[in-house]
């Protein structure tokens, strides 16, 4: 695919994905450098002058606030010389808070939306946004693409025993269904509830199936502390299932999440490359290229 006059700026946190996207678009690539000061501030430098339509690529994963400030800085810089700036933020942070659940809470997804517009983003592209409801706070077009079909195709190549696709909460039931369809398998969603005050997880009455000996693929948008996946694994093990795998778009895997998940008995974690890491098995650069 050749798009004339496209420039890709690879943010410090997403250089590899950005290079891959630039190759797919046959676009000019501008690399960036970052220096982190002892107090945590980022000094970002770009190695060229973006012109025409510029695509800034950077995921806002931990350290979230730093990486997000870098995204804002790059968009702002690109806007000085570009005709349009598209912000490709594969993992878009702060999308959990899409309403005021408890009095006094701040709708951070709306704050993020305002900041992206203020620095000059003309369009946002993201992958499996945590809450589609949050899109309503954006004044610029948001394109939300999904890694789910590619994650499913990855598992389709594996030899699995009567697989059952499981969403660890009710929100991702449609995506689990979509995943299952690609594998010609069944799907269910666990009724996980999280206390708004304490964050404590609890599994309520959930859909029943014959789990005995069946391979399970847990599918979620993100794995952060691993708490949800571990809770779901404990529940599934009580039902005497077979092997358990975890698939997610965004493998945040904070702290010792990976160890906790493996200790709970998950055989493998498979993720997309929206956040670089050892669990990456699915490349989203082609999906992003098509969306631009
Ligand atoms: C919840 O709504 C999300 O889809 C994830 O299940 C959750 O954010 C994962 O977080 P953790 O790994 O900390 O349980």
């Amino acid at each position: 695919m050749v798009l004339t006059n496209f420039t890709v700026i690879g943010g410090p946190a997403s250089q590899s994905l950005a290079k891959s996207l630039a190759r797919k678009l046959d676009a000019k690539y501008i690399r960036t450098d970052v220096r982190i000061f002892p107090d945590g501030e980022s000094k970002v430098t770009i190695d060229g002058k973006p012109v025409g339509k510029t695509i800034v690529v950077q995921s806002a994963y931990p350290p979230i606030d730093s990486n997000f400030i870098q995204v804002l800085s790059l968009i702002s810089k690109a806007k000085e010389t570009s005709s349009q700036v598209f912000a490709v933020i594969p993992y878009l942070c702060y999308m959990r808070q899409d309403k005021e659940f408890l009095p006094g809470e701040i709708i951070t997804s709306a704050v993020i939306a305002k900041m992206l517009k203020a620095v000059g983003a003309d369009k946002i592209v993201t992958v499996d946004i945590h809450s589609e409801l949050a899109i309503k706070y954006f004044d610029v077009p948001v394109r939300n693409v999904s890694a789910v079909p590619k994650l499913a195709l990855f598992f389709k190549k594996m030899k699995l025993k009567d697989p059952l696709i499981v969403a660890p909460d009710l929100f991702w039931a449609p995506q689990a269904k979509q995943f299952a369809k690609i594998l010609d398998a069944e799907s269910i969603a666990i009724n996980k509830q999280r206390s708004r005050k304490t964050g404590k997880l609890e599994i309520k009455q959930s859909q029943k199936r014959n789990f005995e000996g069946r391979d399970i693929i847990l599918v979620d948008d993100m794995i952060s502390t691993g708490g949800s996946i571990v809770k779901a694994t404990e529940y599934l093990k009580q039902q005497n299932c077979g092997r358990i795998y975890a698939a997610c778009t965004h493998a945040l895997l904070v702290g010792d999440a990976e160890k906790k998940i493996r200790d709970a008995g998950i055989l493998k974690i498979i993720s997309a490359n929206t956040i670089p890491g050892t669990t990456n098995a699915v490349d989203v650069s082609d999906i992003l290229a098509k969306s631009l």
Side-chain angles (χ1 to χ4, degrees):
M1 191 189 313
V2 179
L3 292 171
T4 48
N5 216 14
F6 252 88
T7 304
V8 169
I9 300 179
S14 297
Q15 304 251 8
S16 166
L17 179 59
K19 274 184 202 152
S20 184
L21 178 62
R23 275 195 299 274
K24 300 243 157 48
L25 295 172
D26 200 15
K28 180 183 161 195
Y29 182 75
I30 294 183
R31 64 184 292 278
T32 56
D33 273 317
V34 68
R35 192 172 142 211
I36 307 288
F37 289 102
D39 61 3
E41 280 186 7
S42 305
K43 178 180 175 163
V44 189
T45 317
I46 72 168
D47 191 19
K49 183 177 169 186
V51 285
K53 290 179 180 163
T54 298
I55 303 162
V56 169
V57 184
Q58 165 127 317
S59 247
Y61 58 87
I64 281 176
D65 295 353
S66 283
N67 282 342
F68 187 67
I69 277 283
Q70 292 170 17
V71 175
L72 295 175
S73 308
L74 288 169
I75 296 168
S76 170
K77 182 71 183 161
K79 194 71 179 179
E80 288 172 11
T81 50
S82 312
S83 56
Q84 274 186 302
V85 180
F86 300 153
V88 173
I89 313 172
Y91 174 65
L92 185 53
C93 57
Y94 286 104
M95 294 297 119
R96 287 186 183 97
Q97 187 85 39
D98 57 9
K99 58 173 115 130
E100 192 176 336
F101 297 100
L102 297 175
E105 287 181 352
I106 292 153
I107 306 172
T108 38
S109 45
V111 178
I112 294 285
K114 277 186 211 158
M115 287 196 276
L116 287 167
K117 176 154 193 234
V119 291
D122 294 294
K123 178 179 175 175
I124 319 284
V125 178
T126 189
V127 187
D128 291 318
I129 194 166
H130 181 71
S131 161
E132 292 218 341
L133 291 178
I135 294 175
K136 70 170 182 240
Y137 298 114
F138 288 78
D139 253 1
V140 294
V142 176
R143 184 82 202 273
N144 178 36
V145 296
S146 180
V148 168
K150 283 194 88 173
L151 286 166
L153 287 171
F154 179 90
F155 279 92
K156 198 173 181 172
K157 291 189 206 120
M158 292 168 60
K159 281 199 168 61
L160 298 167
K161 191 176 169 204
D162 193 10
L164 178 63
I165 317 307
V166 180
D169 59 42
L170 300 176
F171 296 107
W172 255 50
Q175 286 86 346
K177 199 171 176 188
Q178 182 193 13
F179 193 115
K181 202 170 170 205
I182 294 167
L183 267 72
D184 202 12
E186 269 187 309
S187 71
I188 59 159
I190 290 175
N191 185 6
K192 172 198 89 178
Q193 301 293 332
R194 190 189 290 269
S195 157
R196 293 253 168 241
K197 284 213 165 104
T198 62
K200 195 171 172 283
L201 296 174
E202 207 186 333
I203 290 185
K204 304 254 179 175
Q205 184 73 30
S206 296
Q207 285 174 282
K208 294 273 176 252
R209 279 291 183 289
N210 173 25
F211 295 94
E212 192 79 35
R214 291 175 78 176
D215 284 343
I216 306 285
I217 307 169
L218 281 161
V219 191
D220 211 345
D221 60 333
M222 65 170 99
I223 303 178
S224 180
T225 63
S228 307
I229 290 288
V230 168
K231 195 85 188 163
T233 303
E234 286 164 5
Y235 170 79
L236 291 162
K237 286 194 138 186
Q238 284 163 11
Q239 325 296 320
N240 293 324
C241 63
R243 296 170 294 187
I244 309 178
Y245 300 87
C248 69
T249 302
H250 312 294
L252 289 152
L253 296 172
V254 299
D256 62 350
E258 207 168 336
K259 183 177 180 306
K260 280 196 309 203
I261 293 168
R262 294 200 199 284
D263 289 351
I266 300 257
L267 205 56
K268 215 175 172 64
I269 309 167
I270 294 297
S271 70
N273 61 347
T274 55
I275 298 174
T278 52
T279 58
N280 291 174
V282 162
D283 177 18
V284 293
S285 62
D286 53 340
I287 307 171
L288 293 170
K290 277 186 208 131
S291 75
L292 286 156

